[in-house]
Amino acid sequence: MTEAEPVRFGVLGCAEIARRRMLPAIAAHPDAELAAVAAREAHRAEETARPYGCRAVGGYEALLADPDVEAVYVPLPNALHADWVAAALDAGKHVLAEKPLTLEAERTAALFATARERGLVLRENVMFLRHRQHARVRELLADGALGELRAFRAEFTVPARPEGDIRHSPALGGGALWDTGVYPVRAALHLLGPGLSVVGAVLRQDPRHGVDTAGSALLRTPDGAGVQLAFGIDHGYRSAYELTGELGRLVLDHAFTPPAGHVPRLRLERPGGVEELPLEPDDQVAGTVGAFAAAVRRGAGHRDRIEEEESLRQAELLGELARYGAPAGA
Ligand SMILES: NC(=O)c1ccc[n+]([C@@H]2O[C@H](COP(=O)([O-])OP(=O)(O)OC[C@H]3O[C@@H](n4cnc5c(N)ncnc54)[C@H](OP(=O)(O)O)[C@@H]3O)[C@@H](O)[C@H]2O)c1
């Protein structure tokens, strides 16, 4: 095995996100190879594997037992992530798991500890972090473009999904908070740091399905800047954030799921005028696959402590916010 060999991925489940985004990206990336796809029913695995010419496996256990698979991508319903990530780590595989990594901060911490003990890479698939537009925002903040920060607002809302979607199932970890709340919470952590605390939240429950379909949260930074977050799965599409400081405002649209060809524009509004700062397009899906493969090849001694801590803090904050959706007295 040389360092240059691509990382051989196996995929647990023929999820929409896998078929639409991740499988094409894994297959196309020079540092990755799509070795096998598993589904609960073999025929689904066969249909999904066919265009890629990779192995089709019936059942997830069989894929984990495949010695040719080095790394496992887990795009299962949210409530199943923790157990299958644990099983994949037990089988000695590196793991890239869909967001949210688990539904409990304690489990997230335990899985990272297991990965560390076994010398394996474990990452939560929060793809927007790989888009360079956010690094540019962080540079502008660090350079004092806005002065002292006063407020952050972020929003990720998506249209309703068809009946039967995993997002409508409480048992599968559905609901707006776990599906879309991850994005604004993670953006706040990524841009403002881990010291955020929850002030309050409103989660609108959908009585038909028994999950929350809309939410708003108020958090604060240790310096007292207000952090307003909104998320939802029964909305018009909106994916944006803005930062307000003592000197002006910075606005980014298409913040969380820009397609690879999208030309990002940062709008910087200050008393001297409004600047539109065009940035280079970036492919955050390819970037995610490449960063994960590079981490596997670097070896576990080079784990990304900051990203891990962000994932863990995100799980803690989402857990706190989830309690605002619990029925009174629960
Ligand atoms: N990072 C991102 O940008 C992004 C975007 C969208 C979704 N996601 C995440 O990706 C995950 C999957 O989302 P999705 O919309 O792609 O889901 P989906 O199309 O419903 O796929 C879920 C997959 O899970 C498997 N599964 C196993 N047990 C299941 C059960 N009891 N009920 C239903 N499915 C079961 C199924 O695989 P088989 O039947 O094929 O075995 C199914 O294909 C979620 O965690 C979601 O949060 C991430």
Side-chain angles (χ1 to χ4, degrees), residues 55-220:
R55 284 192 303 290
V57 180
Y60 304 153
E61 289 90 352
L63 185 132
L64 296 185
D66 183 340
D68 187 49
V69 167
E70 289 179 273
V72 173
Y73 167 56
V74 180
L76 296 171
N78 297 337
L80 307 187
H81 292 175
D83 286 350
W84 283 104
V85 168
L89 293 172
D90 282 345
K93 313 296 186 191
H94 305 282
V95 179
L96 177 61
E98 267 310 335
K99 41 58 64 173
L101 179 53
T102 79
L103 303 179
E104 288 164 282
E106 297 75 15
R107 281 220 80 186
T108 294
L111 291 173
F112 279 127
T114 303
R116 255 193 322 273
E117 279 159 25
R118 302 194 177 177
L120 296 166
V121 174
L122 168 61
R123 285 199 177 177
E124 182 180 33
N125 197 27
V126 183
M127 295 199 267
F128 79 83
L129 298 174
R130 301 287 161 217
H131 198 297
R132 284 190 293 263
Q133 60 188 358
H134 310 290
R136 184 71 189 114
V137 170
R138 295 217 301 192
E139 272 169 22
L140 286 164
L141 293 179
D143 292 348
L146 299 181
E148 206 171 275
L149 191 72
R150 302 286 187 239
F152 174 74
R153 279 159 41 99
E155 197 168 1
F156 189 56
T157 61
V158 297
R161 306 279 297 199
E163 212 45 50
D165 190 90
I166 57 170
R167 288 157 189 77
H168 297 144
S169 163
L172 295 178
L177 176 67
W178 297 118
D179 188 53
T180 46
V182 171
Y183 294 80
V185 168
R186 187 55 166 264
L189 284 169
H190 193 63
L191 297 172
L192 311 179
L196 297 176
S197 51
V198 174
V199 178
V202 176
L203 297 185
R204 177 188 174 276
Q205 296 297 324
D206 167 10
R208 236 166 12 120
H209 301 109
V211 296
D212 57 298
T213 50
S216 303
L218 180 64
L219 292 82
R220 51 169 290 152

